[in-house]
Amino acid sequence: MLRVRCFRGGSRGAEAAHYIASRLGRVFTGWVQRSFQSTQAATASQNTFAADDKATSPVPKDCLVCSYNEWDPLEEVIVGRAENACVPPFSVEVKANTYEKYWGFYQKYGGQSFPKDHLKKAIAEIEEMCNILKREGVIVKRPDPIDWSVKYKTPDFESTGMYAAMPRDILLVVGNEIIEAPMAWRARFFEYRAYRRIIKDYFNQGAKWTAAPKPTMADELYDQDYPILSVEDRHKLAAQGKFVTTEFEPCFDAADFIRAGRDIFVQRSQVTNYMGIEWMRRHLAPDYRVHVISFKDPNPMHIDATFNIIGPGLVLSNPDRPCHQIELFKKAGWTVIQPPVPLIPDDHPLWMSSKWLSMNVLMLDEKRVMVDANETSIQKMFENLGISTIKVNIRHANSLGGGFHCWTCDIRRRGTLQSYFD
């Protein structure tokens, strides 16, 4: 999962509606306003969490795919690949999601491999991570290796690929359903191909398989003049609800959603627009409730290094990017924990991520967590919570855009569909 962290939402419905009105007319504008209001209302009061009916589990007993949250005992997981990873071309959506100090890197190496020595170390780290997961009793599946340097062309754009390193970005498992996300980066247009063999196997064994509407990624999906020259610019734009992605067509990265049984939380970000959120809300209703939450984040992209739910009634909330709706969780009886400041050194390259990958952990169950071997402060935090730490070093893999949660997509967790906000 791509973790670009120079990396909020708020009252952005009027902004989105105004944009669409200028293109598609007042009728569609009314729909967008109503849709946004119905989605945003989920964060307006704690009453949104009151269940209006009883949820039932639709999962066949013999289905290999079944996951409702981020903490039930993990039994099967997809782990990404760093092999053949390429630097994405320096297009407007990439620029809007990366640190200014790395723009020269993208301009020079876009379309080419990441530095070979660094990539070799990242591959070895992820292999060891897979070995450790297996020793912990977890079945591990891997996407297919693909040559991501191949150029491709659609009627709307040209690009090269990137990688299949972050399955959390493209795949969301809800119950027995695997949802392929309509991601917003042109370099990731064909990323789904690396996972199709695995998904077909799961489908043949009873899983539901949904591919969200594939975006054209035409120029209209992006604000081609998105004005980002400094972090201050990013803060101002985010506060105004302005992002590089428009409301031209639905788009979202799966990593902007995080699950807590019947309640699924999402942020409007640089890669997830309101049309994408509304698509998910309608698709998952009535069994699941999608709530928009937002953060003081100058450039949001992916929620799980900002807000990571690690257990029933337990959430890690980034102190640098506080949640605007955090009182909803506290009033519902949740414990909100601020993780310690990351220890990763300033000189370590983080081309597509931030130091806060330290909180991007993978829960193997409520009492076991996979955590960075170098981050002793957060290890101590977990141990004080009574959670055993499984220490793994993926420092070089972090540079490619993600931590343990990003590098994985949990396929099966041993648990049932429950509501944690009723």
Side-chain angles (χ1 to χ4, degrees), residues 77-80 123-135 140 362 370 392-394 397 403-408:
V77 69
I78 298 174
V79 178
I123 292 170
E125 289 172 349
I126 298 304
E127 287 296 329
E128 178 60 14
M129 173 184 164
C130 290
N131 292 334
I132 292 172
L133 282 168
K134 292 173 184 177
R135 289 200 293 271
V140 175
L362 178 68
M370 183 167 279
V392 186
N393 179 19
I394 59 166
F404 298 104
H405 199 251
C406 313
W407 277 91
T408 59

Side-chain angles (χ1 to χ4, degrees), residues 6 98-106 234 345-351 353 355:
C6 336
T98 50
Y99 291 110
E100 184 178 359
K101 67 178 181 179
Y102 293 123
W103 287 354
F105 172 83
Y106 285 95
R234 296 175 189 251
D346 292 336
D347 61 353
H348 185 77
L350 290 170
W351 300 301
S353 46
K355 292 183 176 183

Side-chain angles (χ1 to χ4, degrees), residues 23 25 129 366 400:
R23 295 186 175 273
M129 173 184 164
E366 290 184 39
L400 300 182

Side-chain angles (χ1 to χ4, degrees), residues 1-5 7 70 80 162-171 183 188 191 195 253-258 301-305 352-353 357 360 397-398 400-409:
M1 151 175 346
L2 192 61
R3 291 295 168 274
V4 184
R5 295 301 179 196
F7 312 154
E70 311 292 337
M162 196 164 82
Y163 53 34
M166 311 292 161
R168 189 76 59 173
D169 294 3
I170 188 172
L171 301 177
M183 295 190 292
R188 311 190 77 174
E191 193 165 316
Y195 300 93
D253 278 16
D256 271 325
F257 294 81
I258 197 156
M301 182 179 175
H302 301 166
I303 200 171
D304 51 1
M352 293 191 290
S353 46
L357 289 179
N360 188 265
N398 288 159
L400 300 182
F404 298 104
H405 199 251
C406 313
W407 277 91
T408 59
C409 176

Side-chain angles (χ1 to χ4, degrees), residues 10-22 29 32-34 36-37 40 240-242 247 274:
S11 56
R12 303 176 181 128
E15 148 74 19
H18 175 75
Y19 178 86
I20 296 173
S22 66
T29 300
V32 172
Q33 289 173 328
R34 292 191 299 273
F36 173 72
Q37 289 165 359
Q40 188 71 352
Q240 296 168 14
K242 295 181 179 179
E247 299 295 331
Y274 289 123

